[in-house]
Amino acid sequence: MEINMNIAEIKSAVDAGHSVHWSNEGYRVHRDALGQYLITYLPNGNSTGLTDRSGTTLNGDEALFFVARPDLGVTVHCSACGSEDVLRDCWASWNAELQSWESTDLQDHAFCRACDGEAILIKRPIRDYGAASGFSSTGCDPVRAIAETGQGTGARGEVADTDPGGAAG
């Protein structure tokens, strides 16, 4: 499912104070003191207009604009294929009071059902790609495999999951 933000939605989201980005969180869309909508690369401060001179064509693929919504949490994916159909090993103990098994210790090993093999897991922030007024459609970044391992960030904000002691659910 492809959800795109058009020029009006992008401007509306910026005006509403939302954190709007293009491609990754390094590119921030904002409005300057002159009322111009700009895309600024945060690490070096370089900017370009949101649109071409006509104001009708975005300077970037509209499918890559998104509103960062950190309150929505993250999704966990296989770094090789991007699938969310992943598992982690854990120990479980019986809780007699609740009459059920409880996870007690998350292990390092991860498995991807889509790849049918061991996996390195990455976390991606959940983004809101919906219309600026309603922010009704949520999803994660388009699937993009990264070659990194260990704790680090990938091209689209992925973070490798290297926390063996995290809470299991």
Side-chain angles (χ1 to χ4, degrees):
M1 179 169 139
E2 188 173 301
I3 301 173
N4 301 330
M5 290 182 74
N6 63 34
I7 295 170
E9 292 169 336
I10 293 167
K11 289 180 177 182
S12 176
V14 168
D15 292 344
H18 296 288
S19 182
V20 181
H21 301 272
W22 171 77
S23 184
N24 64 58
E25 290 183 1
Y27 292 94
R28 178 82 186 258
V29 181
H30 62 98
R31 189 172 171 184
D32 70 5
L34 299 174
Q36 304 172 104
Y37 293 89
L38 304 171
I39 303 170
T40 299
Y41 184 59
L42 299 176
N44 65 17
N46 288 343
S47 295
T48 189
L50 175 63
T51 63
D52 65 3
R53 290 180 189 246
S54 72
T56 59
T57 304
L58 283 169
N59 283 329
D61 183 352
E62 69 180 30
L64 297 179
F65 286 90
F66 63 92
V67 176
R69 298 281 308 274
D71 56 311
L72 296 177
V74 297
T75 54
V76 178
H77 302 259
C78 170
S79 65
C81 73
S83 173
E84 290 183 64
D85 193 6
V86 293
L87 306 169
R88 293 276 303 263
D89 285 340
C90 71
W91 290 97
S93 63
W94 181 253
N95 182 322
E97 184 178 323
L98 296 176
Q99 290 294 293
S100 65
W101 289 98
E102 293 180 329
S103 298
T104 58
D105 187 29
L106 194 60
Q107 304 295 310
D108 290 332
H109 183 260
F111 183 85
C112 176
R113 290 186 198 191
C115 292
D116 196 29
E118 288 191 38
I120 296 171
L121 302 180
I122 55 175
K123 293 179 182 176
R124 294 182 179 149
I126 297 172
R127 310 260 196 249
D128 191 326
Y129 290 91
S133 59
F135 297 107
S136 57
S137 301
T138 58
C140 63
D141 276 343
V143 172
R144 208 174 263 193
I146 61 170
E148 296 178 358
T149 60
Q151 187 71 21
T153 57
R156 308 237 336 147
E158 301 95 343
V159 178
D161 182 10
T162 59
D163 176 22

